[in-house]
Amino acid sequence: MAPWLDTAAEPALAPLPAPTLSQALALLAERERELAALRAAQEEFLRAVSHDLRAPLRHITSYGPLVAELLQDAGLQGEALAEAQEFLSTMDQSARRMGRMLDGLLALSRIAHAPLLRQPVALTALAHEVQATLAAQVQGRVVQWHIAPDLPSVQGDAALLRQLLAELVGNALKFTRGCDPARIAVVGECSADGSVTLRVQDNGAGFNPAQAAGLFGMFQRLHRATEFEGVGTGLAAVRAIAQRHGGDAQATAVLGAGCTVSVRFSA
């Protein structure tokens, strides 16, 4: 063996001394300060981006109709006028969509940074509140509701949990729009470890299970905008709220045969 490969001849390295408790606490405090600074910088960035981008978006949506009038006054007619109006309509729709995306970013930032006011929350009562709030969306439709009367209570922030349920039930209503009748169920269970699982089930459009991994990402959509409205921020908010409560969210579905979104809350 070549002498430079003889590791046995190398002197043993002395082990590094373990940090003391005070050193570990100081390091932890420093990391907490760094994390808080990063969060504050992220929130400030989102606010600045939202503020700075809304002005040009307002210009696009405000001046588009004026440009359309100018084109007519200039004598543009027929196919050329129709094409110009289509371009202006696309610009307007895109600007409004971008505005909704900014709203979604800010909503996600608020979820991440809002104080968490934990208290006992009765999920059955909360689900009925959300159902009543969304009643206007079901006028003229046949919707069969099932809200389990024995949903467990959880320790959580009532406002955030209401937002979570509103997103889930709103999605169920949206994706069952073509179903007659639409069936929406809110059920749940407690596990032996004390965790709570809440499920919102529907018989709507569903999705390809192979695409489930990215479903909770920001701006992720599994259906065309011409089929269902939205910009893909609702389920990202659901997961963020679940994570703030020490849990997570997942979804299972069959394309054309409904979807189940499960949210787990830790004990």
Side-chain angles (χ1 to χ4, degrees), residues 76-92:
L76 196 64
Q77 296 179 353
E79 186 176 338
L81 177 60
E83 187 176 25
Q85 289 174 332
E86 183 179 352
F87 292 157
L88 289 171
S89 176
T90 300
M91 288 170 54
D92 181 78

Side-chain angles (χ1 to χ4, degrees), residues 12-233:
L13 297 175
L16 295 174
T20 65
L21 178 59
S22 61
Q23 289 173 330
L25 290 175
L27 182 61
L28 180 60
E30 178 63 24
R31 294 294 180 267
E32 287 289 342
R33 286 192 292 271
E34 292 176 357
L35 184 58
L38 285 173
R39 286 173 175 166
Q42 180 190 44
E43 188 169 9
E44 181 61 29
F45 171 75
L46 287 175
R47 286 176 179 168
V49 167
S50 175
H51 179 271
D52 292 344
L53 289 182
R54 287 192 189 279
L57 288 178
R58 283 194 298 268
H59 292 159
I60 293 172
T61 55
S62 299
Y63 293 158
L66 299 177
V67 173
E69 291 180 12
L70 289 173
L71 291 175
Q72 290 180 322
D73 293 342
L76 196 64
Q77 296 179 353
E79 186 176 338
L81 177 60
E83 187 176 25
Q85 289 174 332
E86 183 179 352
F87 292 157
L88 289 171
S89 176
T90 300
M91 288 170 54
D92 181 78
Q93 292 173 17
S94 297
R96 294 182 188 279
R97 176 178 173 82
M98 189 172 180
R100 293 193 295 271
M101 294 170 77
L102 289 173
D103 291 340
L105 281 173
L106 290 177
L108 203 62
S109 177
R110 285 192 292 269
I111 290 169
H113 299 98
L116 198 65
L117 305 177
R118 288 187 179 272
Q119 59 182 309
V121 179
L123 292 179
T124 296
L126 192 62
H128 281 293
E129 287 180 24
V130 169
Q131 178 191 2
T133 302
L134 298 175
Q137 297 186 22
V138 301
Q139 290 184 358
R141 295 179 53 185
V142 179
V143 179
Q144 296 177 351
W145 293 93
H146 171 65
I147 297 177
D150 57 349
L151 288 174
S153 294
V154 296
Q155 286 287 332
D157 186 287
L160 287 179
L161 294 178
R162 184 178 291 105
Q163 181 180 352
L164 178 146
L165 262 172
E167 294 286 0
L168 293 180
V169 175
N171 265 358
L173 285 171
K174 176 169 65 175
F175 292 114
T176 56
R177 191 175 296 149
C179 300
D180 188 17
R183 291 189 293 273
I184 298 173
V186 183
V187 297
E189 61 190 29
C190 284
S191 301
D193 61 1
S195 64
V196 171
T197 299
L198 177 71
R199 295 188 178 88
V200 177
Q201 304 166 333
D202 67 67
N203 64 330
F207 58 85
N208 184 346
Q211 299 175 296
L215 186 63
F216 292 88
M218 198 64 174
F219 306 136
Q220 296 299 308
R221 289 179 51 86
L222 302 185
H223 300 277
R224 293 190 299 271
T226 53
E227 295 177 306
F228 298 103
E229 70 280 3
V231 294
T233 59

